[in-house]
Amino acid sequence: GNEVGNSDPNAPEWKKLDSNELGITISMISKPTRVVINGLKKKGYEVYLVGGCVRDLILKRIPKDFDIITSAELKEVKTFSRCRIVGKRFPICHVQVNDTILEVSSFSSLGRKAGGKFSHDFRKPPGCNECDYIRWKNCSRRDFTINGLMFDPYAKIVYDYLGGMEDIRKAKVRTVIRANLSFAQDCARILRAVRIAARLGFHFSRELAFSLKELSCSVLTLDKGRILMEMNYMLAYGSAEASLRLLWRFGLLEILLPIQASYFVSQGFQRRDKRSNMLLSLFSNLDRLLAPDRPCHNSLWIGILAFHKALVDQPGPLVVAAFSLAIHSGGYLLEAVDIAKRISQPHDMSFHELSDVPDLDTNNLLMTQVIDFAASVKAALCEMTDARYVSQSMSKYPQAPRSDLVFIPAALCLRVCKIFECVRRGKEMGCVPK
């Protein structure tokens, strides 16, 4: 690709790369995105893809979503039929194409919001013309270098002002400005760093890893809705197991999910442990069914957390099998019990949660136990949304930070309860569809 030199030895070399050489084709961009960018281009505006989607296209991964930035003013973008401007501080356009909502931001509104406080550790790259300067300034406000790439699908150029390509090659997550400043500016970046590293299998720069540990408690200042959103991105998009491992390794699990952290401690699970446990195993099975463009509803991973919490009380493999079959069939409990008793395949003995308990002879006894287990899953859900219980869960481990964070709202909790309701009330009561 065409590369432009740089006289500042500390600044990353900035590059214009040929998107064809990177293997990016227009067909890799989703249809709804193409509708919007083509519409803006036809009206004569500059239009780029920016952020994580460019990184994912380079890595031949399916982007979770496509972010668009344009030289058009937001009110000009609003000429699309189904479009609204959202956000007061950082206004952007949500353009709806069929069932997809695309985020479109404007260079002009991004320029205004900086409000003169734009100061960074690196200087403007030399050899930068006015267009480059506008692009560079926008990329420089991003969170991580690998998210600071900009792609012009018409000129077929990827602009890399921050050394993002080098970090993609090194599989490294590095902040655009110093990590401690970046996280102080927006502590949600701590959770985003974990999510990106988990999803891509990247490692953190040494400086970022240090700041992550130092500032982990600052995530408690985030809005609860924001925490739920970030946790959903981690657990519902196909990289839940890797996310939980990283949250545990960097001391974030005891802040965000103290009940689950307490389970990790009780298992003697080390911070860098390579082994698995029952909780990680449940989520690695979930990961196999999901992808960035095919996530699950957040009630599913919340249900799994509650299901596992109830499992820790060891109901016995037969009860668990019958319970799972009953949910799968939407409440046919007698049939579930019957099938469970006929299962001849041995269960995995490596998890102490499923250590053998004596077999239950009668169907009635087994049905009672399954209904009791459903009640303990429901109780676990209530405990996860009870700040007092959550704060006590790590009390046996005095060195752990105290957290009474409850970010799962009551309405969502009720929705999860409905998934398990059919086991108690039977098929005729109606149930949540799969």
Side-chain angles (χ1 to χ4, degrees):
N2 167 24
E3 300 186 4
V4 182
N6 204 330
S7 58
D8 181 353
N10 299 319
E13 194 177 6
W14 73 277
K15 301 183 169 95
K16 286 181 185 180
L17 302 153
D18 182 332
S19 64
N20 289 332
E21 285 176 22
L22 293 171
I24 302 176
T25 61
I26 294 292
S27 62
M28 292 159 83
I29 301 168
S30 74
K31 273 198 182 125
T33 308
R34 295 204 299 258
V35 168
V36 175
I37 62 176
N38 289 338
L40 288 164
K41 186 70 179 170
K42 275 199 186 94
K43 291 180 182 171
Y45 298 115
E46 277 178 61
V47 61
Y48 303 90
L49 295 179
V50 69
C53 65
V54 185
R55 171 202 75 210
D56 288 346
L57 291 174
I58 291 165
L59 287 165
K60 306 285 181 288
R61 286 172 166 268
I62 300 165
K64 181 170 65 64
D65 41 36
F66 288 86
D67 288 339
I68 299 163
I69 188 161
T70 177
S71 58
E73 295 274 348
L74 289 184
K75 60 178 184 289
E76 291 158 339
V77 178
K78 216 170 172 306
T79 55
F80 279 94
S81 55
R82 300 169 77 186
C83 175
R84 61 199 184 97
I85 295 176
V86 296
K88 283 196 173 71
R89 258 179 77 207
F90 309 139
I92 56 167
C93 270
H94 275 175
V95 182
Q96 190 168 344
V97 180
N98 303 329
D99 297 336
T100 308
I101 291 178
L102 293 144
E103 284 191 4
V104 182
S105 52
S106 163
F107 281 120
S108 61
S109 56
L110 289 168
R112 283 197 292 274
K113 84 182 182 193
K117 284 191 288 196
F118 182 70
S119 65
H120 277 330
D121 292 9
F122 47 81
R123 291 191 285 281
K124 180 176 84 165
C128 218
N129 62 27
E130 189 51 35
C131 288
D132 276 317
Y133 179 64
I134 291 166
R135 284 189 294 259
W136 169 79
K137 213 160 69 161
N138 178 267
C139 292
S140 307
R141 289 201 196 97
R142 308 244 150 218
D143 44 12
F144 308 107
T145 56
I146 56 174
N147 290 346
L149 298 158
M150 205 174 269
F151 171 40
D152 180 339
Y154 302 99
K156 297 192 167 37
I157 292 173
V158 171
Y159 296 93
D160 175 17
Y161 299 96
L162 311 172
M165 277 304 298
E166 186 61 18
D167 287 334
I168 286 176
R169 269 197 289 275
K170 290 178 178 169
K172 184 193 287 185
V173 182
R174 184 167 60 90
T175 47
V176 170
I177 57 173
R178 285 213 311 277
N180 56 350
L181 289 177
S182 185
F183 293 157
Q185 242 175 41
D186 177 5
C187 56
R189 286 173 177 171
I190 290 173
L191 301 180
R192 278 211 295 277
V194 170
R195 183 224 304 174
I196 291 167
R199 196 179 141 222
L200 302 177
F202 280 22
H203 63 275
F204 297 132
S205 70
R206 191 176 294 151
E207 181 208 18
L208 189 151
F210 179 76
S211 297
L212 204 65
K213 280 184 173 150
E214 286 288 286
L215 300 169
S216 57
C217 280
S218 65
V219 299
L220 286 167
T221 63
L222 284 168
D223 174 72
K224 285 181 179 168
R226 183 64 194 275
I227 294 174
L228 176 66
M229 185 182 89
E230 288 294 341
M231 290 303 287
N232 191 53
Y233 283 149
M234 280 188 220
L235 302 180
Y237 285 77
S239 51
E241 184 197 1
S243 297
L244 289 170
R245 285 183 186 276
L246 280 178
L247 290 172
W248 175 237
R249 185 171 148 194
F250 285 93
L252 283 153
L253 197 67
E254 49 268 50
I255 296 165
L256 297 160
L257 295 169
I259 295 171
Q260 284 68 32
S262 143
Y263 162 74
F264 275 35
V265 177
S266 72
Q267 295 281 295
F269 205 71
Q270 303 299 310
R271 295 287 178 183
R272 290 169 173 270
D273 220 315
K274 293 279 188 279
R275 295 173 302 161
S276 192
N277 57 36
M278 188 69 183
L279 184 64
L280 292 172
S281 184
L282 285 169
F283 276 104
S284 83
N285 285 332
L286 177 67
D287 286 342
R288 286 186 202 129
L289 306 172
L290 305 174
D293 60 335
R294 204 177 64 240
C296 67
H297 189 271
N298 53 15
S299 55
L300 188 55
W301 59 261
I302 294 165
I304 289 174
L305 291 175
F307 171 71
H308 175 260
K309 169 88 178 68
L311 266 187
V312 175
D313 302 329
Q314 297 183 358
L318 196 58
V319 176
V320 176
F323 171 79
S324 307
L325 286 160
I327 284 176
H328 183 75
S329 65
Y332 286 121
L333 191 49
L334 193 58
E335 181 189 64
V337 163
D338 199 39
I339 297 169
K341 288 178 87 169
R342 293 204 302 266
I343 294 173
S344 55
Q345 208 179 337
H347 64 275
D348 190 336
M349 299 291 285
S350 59
F351 299 120
H352 85 99
E353 288 92 335
L354 293 177
S355 55
D356 263 319
V357 290
D359 268 343
L360 308 158
D361 342 29
T362 69
N363 281 5
N364 281 348
L365 201 54
L366 183 50
M367 280 167 75
T368 307
Q369 293 256 345
V370 171
I371 289 166
D372 287 351
F373 182 59
S376 56
V377 173
K378 199 169 177 179
L381 274 167
C382 296
E383 286 165 355
M384 282 162 54
T385 52
D386 176 346
R388 273 200 319 265
Y389 185 91
V390 167
S391 73
Q392 281 163 10
S393 58
M394 289 301 278
S395 58
K396 291 188 286 245
Y397 316 108
Q399 74 287 6
R402 281 301 160 85
S403 162
D404 58 358
L405 174 66
V406 170
F407 59 84
I408 299 164
L412 183 52
C413 204
L414 285 171
R415 182 172 174 153
V416 182
C417 282
K418 285 204 175 83
I419 298 172
F420 303 108
E421 197 80 322
C422 66
V423 176
R424 231 167 25 95
R425 300 170 67 179
K427 180 73 179 169
E428 69 285 351
M429 296 309 292
C431 66
V432 178
K434 282 203 223 37

